[in-house]
Amino acid sequence: MTLASLTGLTAHYAAGDAEFHALDDVGLDVRSGQILGVVGESGCGKSTMASVLSLNPGPSLRVTSGTLAIGGNDVDLTDPASHRPLRGGTVALLPQGALNALNPTRRVGAMAHDILAAGDRRIKRSESLRRTAARLEALELPPRVLRAYPHQLSGGMRQRVVTALATLRNPRLLVADEPSSALDVSSQRLLVDLLRRLVADGLVEGIVFITHDVALLSELADRIAVMYAGRVVEEAPARDLVASPRHPYSQALLASVLVPEAGTRGRRLAGIPGSPPDLRAPIAGCPFAPRCEHAMDKCAVERPPRLVHVSPGTGSRDDSCWRTAETEEAAHVG
Ligand SMILES: Nc1ncnc2c1ncn2[C@@H]1O[C@H](COP(=O)(O)OP(=O)(O)OP(=O)(O)O)[C@@H](O)[C@H]1O
């Protein structure tokens, strides 16, 4: 069952006279009980997409189109005023960089009470502290953390506190934007285990987990979406995507990293030649065409259609590539 559907998200940053076309017609479905991983190189628009999906777009971002359907609501993403009632309770952000996410002048318990009181103004402080202590315990943090200021905690502890605070109201959808990138291996493991447990226990209905780490996603995610230059170029069950990526960019990305899968050990790693496109002008064709060894003339000028492949057992997968469109009769053009 689909928990959340993001459709037609297009957005740009206004920077002086220039516009950065950060997102171009992005669509994603998050299913109930699942973790959707989003992966791509630096600058491909992952954090921008996370900010809009979690209803926290930055002030210089202009969303020109996009809808988020979640829990019976159709949120017009171009209208920030309509976001407020859903932020934190229905959709929450687990941000990158724990230090910036915490108020240095407030104790953890006070911040937790503010978050819970935003959803239920009558909640008693003792009840806030009880619920927060339970969530902290799940992250192997002692109750004394409730009385601590952020600077009194280690980096790993702070990230776990941010995780506890982001999930306190049991949001239906949690958008996690590179929460593990600054963590040591054991803190990363705790975080990943907690996120899985939150979904398994139904405290969070679904998670979008953003990272540049495909190896981590191959273990954590049910499905993976691959982003390139502000677009989703492929989306598939995690195992299928890692074993047989279809889009030439996904293939190049997978060839450039080590994923802990049988058959990939000992493989030589290849870098992706060339660099991502300049996003100051809209891209007419496929943004990967200049770097793609399979590119045809039309790839540079015509936007490839979204191809949906339905395979029994593993669920649907889709990609956006002219080469696949012209070689596969079975593909359904969506
Ligand atoms: N405030 C801003 N003003 C102008 N351009 C921006 C701003 N923030 C991001 N961008 C540009 O928008 C594009 C997408 O950036 P975004 O941070 O979403 O990518 P990302 O995939 O999350 O990268 P990273 O993995 O490095 O965090 C990039 O070209 C970036 O330079």
Side-chain angles (χ1 to χ4, degrees):
M1 205 178 74
T2 304
L3 162 67
S5 262
L6 174 69
T7 42
L9 174 59
T10 299
H12 65 262
Y13 287 100
D17 289 343
E19 284 182 356
F20 284 91
H21 298 266
L23 298 172
D24 182 358
D25 197 18
V26 169
L28 287 174
D29 281 342
V30 189
R31 301 176 187 200
S32 282
Q34 291 205 348
I35 298 179
L36 171 70
V38 177
V39 72
E41 281 169 288
S42 185
C44 70
K46 303 182 297 296
S47 292
T48 306
M49 194 272 291
S51 74
V52 182
L53 185 58
S54 61
L55 310 177
N56 278 294
S60 59
L61 187 69
R62 307 269 176 278
V63 179
T64 52
S65 69
T67 309
L68 174 65
I70 182 163
N73 300 288
D74 276 324
V75 185
D76 174 359
L77 295 169
T78 66
D79 173 21
S82 66
H83 298 171
R84 234 160 274 139
L86 303 177
R87 200 183 295 151
T90 303
V91 186
L93 176 69
L94 175 55
Q96 200 172 20
L99 251 191
N100 298 338
L102 296 170
N103 182 338
T105 66
R106 309 212 67 208
R107 295 179 197 269
V108 171
M111 285 187 266
H113 180 66
D114 290 349
I115 289 168
L116 287 169
D120 172 7
R121 259 187 285 156
R122 283 167 307 174
I123 193 166
K124 294 214 170 71
R125 207 176 176 81
S126 54
E127 172 62 10
S128 295
L129 296 180
R130 189 192 62 73
R131 279 205 229 165
T132 311
R135 189 55 50 88
L136 292 174
E137 191 185 353
L139 283 154
E140 297 183 12
L141 289 168
R144 70 174 166 78
V145 167
L146 285 171
R147 294 189 306 277
Y149 289 98
H151 73 268
Q152 295 172 318
L153 304 168
S154 70
M157 289 171 99
R158 277 197 293 260
Q159 182 60 52
R160 278 181 275 158
V161 166
V162 173
T163 308
L165 295 181
T167 59
L168 259 186
R169 288 176 63 192
N170 299 341
R172 297 189 73 171
L173 177 66
L174 180 70
V175 181
D177 183 11
E178 300 248 19
S180 60
S181 53
L183 299 182
D184 58 62
V185 174
S186 63
S187 300
Q188 192 177 77
R189 176 59 49 204
L190 272 174
L191 175 67
V192 162
D193 287 349
L194 175 85
L195 294 181
R196 274 214 200 94
R197 215 173 332 132
L198 287 172
V199 175
D201 294 349
L203 295 175
V204 168
E205 234 177 292
I207 294 178
V208 173
F209 190 99
I210 289 161
T211 180
H212 54 267
D213 186 345
V214 196
L216 176 69
L217 281 191
S218 72
E219 293 178 35
L220 173 70
D222 297 285
R223 300 181 66 87
I224 297 179
V226 180
M227 282 187 76
Y228 184 75
R231 297 189 194 171
V232 173
V233 295
E234 180 164 6
E235 199 267 342
R239 207 170 301 165
D240 295 352
L241 191 115
V242 169
S244 57
R246 299 180 79 115
H247 192 280
Y249 173 67
S250 314
Q251 291 171 357
L253 184 71
L254 264 296
S256 70
V257 294
L258 273 180
V259 176
E261 280 280 306
T264 58
R265 288 203 185 90
R267 196 178 60 190
R268 282 185 56 189
L269 298 184
I272 307 177
S275 47
D278 183 349
L279 297 177
R280 276 173 296 184
I283 295 164
C286 171
F288 192 57
R291 301 169 84 180
C292 178
E293 58 183 290
H294 308 288
M296 306 176 289
D297 289 346
K298 78 190 312 183
C299 298
V301 288
E302 261 185 81
R303 188 179 179 119
R306 177 169 167 252
L307 305 163
V308 181
H309 317 263
V310 182
S311 42
T314 58
S316 71
R317 57 183 298 174
D318 63 61
D319 66 285
S320 186
C321 173
W322 276 119
R323 186 178 58 131
T324 332
E326 299 208 336
T327 53
E328 287 202 16
E329 283 171 24
H332 161 72
V333 180

